[in-house]
Amino acid sequence: MASIAAQPPIQSDSSAGPNQPVRSSNLFSSPLTLRLLTYFTVLMLGAAAYMAFIYAPLERSMGAVQRIFYFHVGAAWAGALSFLITALAGVVYLATKNRKWDTVAESSVEVGLALLTMTLLSGPVWAASAWGQAWTLDPKLNSAAVMWLSYAAYLMLRQGIEDPVKRARFGAVYGLIAFSSVIMTYFGVRFIDTAIHPNVMGPSASTGSGDFGMAPRMLQAMIFSFITFSFVLATLLWHRIRLGLFKQHVEQVKIAKFSQEAF
Amino acid sequence: MLTEMIQQFTTPNTVPDMLLGYAFIFGTGLFYIASLMMRRRSLQRDLVVLEQIDDE
């Protein structure tokens, strides 16, 4: 009885057609590698916390609340990267019709949404302290909220489509369109000079240059946070993809059982 | 003059705000990880039930 449950859900089968339920993937190597990556990511998070809380100097005008910056921006970076993966996986799905890419796209939306939630929840705490109000009608803030809603809608709308092929096609097209909200949030708002949310990297319309004059240790902590959250993204995404493939495997077993019973 | 101004400036105590911000960040992360684990366990239970049906 335990044999099925104990088996790894991802099994190699390159002979499956593109529209067959996903049984396999050679893309995602051994669970040992995943376990090692998970442990490494936890260590990286510990080191990033050390750099944010201890290594980086205290910001003089805002105080300790500025330390939210390191994880806030790191999560925003990884969220955007995750949505880029969604768009790319959507393109690959449309080209190959292989459902594993739909699983990658769906997984990256879910992980990206979790990371963006971290950003959107921590940002207002910082803003309330630094600006005196948690939320303003700033273009970057509103654009980020639209981005969150767009990808939350992606997950909800998918649930309403029963046909897996239609669902995957819808997800691929939607993922591409929704990526415009990412471009708008991270690049488009730079051209609006009324924006008060600072741009961490690159120039803004109001200053013509980067808005952050960071001390070297702050910059090092920020870069380390970027690297750490890239690992967080890779780890969560890998776990989520495996879960998605496992779910397909269970559905496949269910269909096989019930079709046997029908005959 | 400038030195006096700098000395008079006191950095605000915003440690509670920082802790709240990080509570949201880690809380969201832990919630998501718990949701992944619960879904995996639920699928494993489904597989066991399916095999029990097969045995019967």
Side-chain angles (χ1 to χ4, degrees):
Chain A
M1 182 164 68
S3 60
I4 293 179
Q7 276 172 7
I10 303 161
Q11 296 157 9
S12 181
D13 180 9
S14 57
S15 62
N19 290 326
Q20 294 297 311
V22 176
R23 290 172 53 198
S24 65
S25 176
N26 289 328
L27 281 174
F28 318 110
S29 47
S30 74
L32 175 67
T33 317
L34 179 56
R35 278 202 297 274
L36 289 174
L37 179 67
T38 306
Y39 296 142
F40 183 71
T41 302
V42 171
L43 284 175
M44 287 284 284
L45 269 172
Y50 167 80
M51 292 196 79
F53 294 122
I54 296 162
Y55 182 79
L58 183 70
E59 206 276 339
R60 191 183 287 271
S61 61
M62 287 184 274
V65 75
Q66 184 273 336
R67 294 188 194 277
I68 288 176
F69 163 80
Y70 304 105
F71 278 46
H72 170 80
V73 178
W77 150 258
L81 203 58
S82 197
F83 296 140
L84 175 65
I85 293 169
T86 306
L88 293 176
V91 170
V92 179
Y93 171 77
L94 290 174
T96 64
K97 304 289 184 234
N98 189 327
R99 274 187 60 199
K100 77 182 170 200
W101 290 107
D102 178 51
T103 306
V104 172
E106 186 193 14
S107 303
S108 57
V109 167
E110 201 181 280
V111 173
L113 212 50
L115 291 162
L116 189 62
T117 304
M118 291 179 193
T119 305
L120 288 182
L121 289 178
S122 61
V125 176
W126 183 14
S129 178
W131 297 341
Q133 59 185 119
W135 197 273
T136 68
L137 290 177
D138 180 74
K140 191 158 197 157
L141 270 59
N142 290 337
S143 182
V146 168
M147 179 169 69
W148 191 94
L149 289 169
S150 303
Y151 284 100
Y154 170 103
L155 293 177
M156 284 190 277
L157 291 170
R158 275 183 71 101
Q159 303 297 320
I161 305 170
E162 284 188 18
D163 181 0
V165 177
K166 277 186 186 167
R167 189 169 59 219
R169 199 185 310 134
F170 164 82
V173 174
Y174 190 108
L176 277 169
I177 295 169
F179 192 66
S180 61
S181 67
V182 181
I183 295 168
M184 188 61 198
T185 304
Y186 291 89
F187 301 103
V189 295
R190 287 168 191 267
F191 301 102
I192 302 170
D193 57 7
T194 55
I196 58 167
H197 188 288
N199 287 313
V200 178
M201 288 183 295
S204 65
S206 55
T207 63
S209 63
D211 292 329
F212 268 66
M214 278 183 278
R217 283 190 166 211
M218 285 180 171
L219 185 66
Q220 287 158 13
M222 187 195 79
I223 292 168
F224 193 82
S225 177
F226 273 43
I227 296 166
T228 300
F229 270 91
S230 301
F231 276 100
V232 169
L233 167 62
T235 309
L236 287 177
L237 189 56
W238 195 344
H239 280 288
R240 179 57 185 81
I241 289 168
R242 283 181 58 82
L243 181 70
L245 295 175
F246 189 19
K247 188 179 173 190
Q248 284 181 23
H249 174 74
V250 172
E251 281 169 2
Q252 201 181 351
V253 172
K254 269 184 199 169
I255 290 165
K257 288 256 185 277
F258 292 124
S259 59
Q260 269 178 1
E261 282 175 15
F263 290 104
Chain B
M1 178 73 176
L2 185 65
T3 316
E4 274 178 32
M5 281 176 68
I6 290 169
Q7 282 170 350
Q8 282 172 359
F9 188 85
T10 51
T11 301
N13 177 16
T14 53
V15 172
D17 297 322
M18 180 194 74
L19 294 176
L20 182 63
Y22 273 99
F24 279 134
I25 290 169
F26 285 109
T28 305
L30 290 174
F31 179 81
Y32 183 62
I33 290 166
S35 111
L36 286 178
M37 289 167 71
M38 282 165 65
R39 280 183 280 172
R40 176 164 279 278
R41 279 184 194 157
S42 168
L43 286 170
Q44 282 169 340
R45 275 199 300 270
D46 283 357
L47 263 184
V48 170
V49 170
L50 283 168
E51 196 154 288
Q52 279 173 343
I53 291 169
D54 202 34
D55 290 345
E56 286 164 11

